């Protein structure tokens, strides 16, 4: 069992920055990949960025060069640094994780709202 808690969302102007945090608890030793997803109203949830236990990262084309995913193992936390934010980045952002125990069943955090508006 893994529990994920996100924080760091809020309102920011276009061009601004936010840092999201995802802190994991429970059977964290079994996590082999963690990612950030987002879902805007009326749209499907989409992958934004992911990082594996080995440190490999992947990004959606729409955020490459602007967003950075990183991990602090000592704090059991994954971060998403979001720079040069655009209105189209507005969405609920979710932290997700998959484990070696049930690799096809992801765990999800509660979500945090990011709104980019002037």
């Amino acid at each position: 069992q893994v529990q994920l808690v996100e924080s760091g969302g809020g309102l920011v102007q276009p061009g601004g920055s936010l840092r999201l945090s995802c802190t994991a608890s429970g059977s964290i030793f079994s996590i082999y990949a963690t990612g950030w997803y987002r879902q805007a109203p009326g749209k499907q949830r989409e992958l934004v960025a992911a990082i594996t236990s080995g440190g490999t990262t992947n990004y959606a084309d729409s955020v490459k060069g602007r967003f950075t995913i990183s991990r602090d193992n000592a704090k059991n936390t994954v971060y998403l640094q979001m720079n040069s934010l655009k209105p189209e980045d507005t969405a609920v952002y979710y932290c997700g994780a998959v484990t070696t125990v049930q690799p096809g069943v992801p765990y999800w955090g509660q979500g945090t709202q990011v709104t980019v508006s002037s």
Side-chain angles (χ1 to χ4, degrees):
Q1 186 78 7
V2 173
Q3 297 82 44
L4 305 172
V5 178
E6 304 103 327
S7 63
L11 175 65
V12 65
Q13 295 186 9
S17 298
L18 285 173
R19 188 188 70 167
L20 305 183
S21 300
C22 172
T23 300
S25 61
S27 301
I28 57 176
F29 61 88
S30 66
I31 298 174
Y32 68 85
T34 304
W36 286 97
Y37 291 73
R38 66 187 181 189
Q39 187 167 23
K43 297 183 178 180
Q44 291 187 347
R45 187 173 300 185
E46 64 175 348
L47 176 67
V48 177
I51 186 168
T52 69
S53 60
T56 301
T57 59
N58 284 293
Y59 297 91
D61 288 340
S62 60
V63 307
K64 286 182 178 178
R66 299 189 297 121
F67 292 8
T68 302
I69 189 170
S70 61
R71 181 181 63 234
D72 186 337
N73 289 330
K75 297 181 179 179
N76 298 322
T77 299
V78 172
Y79 303 96
L80 184 67
Q81 179 66 46
M82 305 186 295
N83 299 325
S84 301
L85 283 161
K86 305 174 181 180
E88 51 262 45
D89 295 318
T90 296
V92 178
Y93 283 70
Y94 297 89
C95 180
V98 291
T99 70
T100 57
V101 178
Q102 295 188 31
V105 183
Y107 292 88
W108 296 102
Q110 81 286 354
T112 184
Q113 177 71 47
V114 172
T115 302
V116 184
S117 176
S118 60

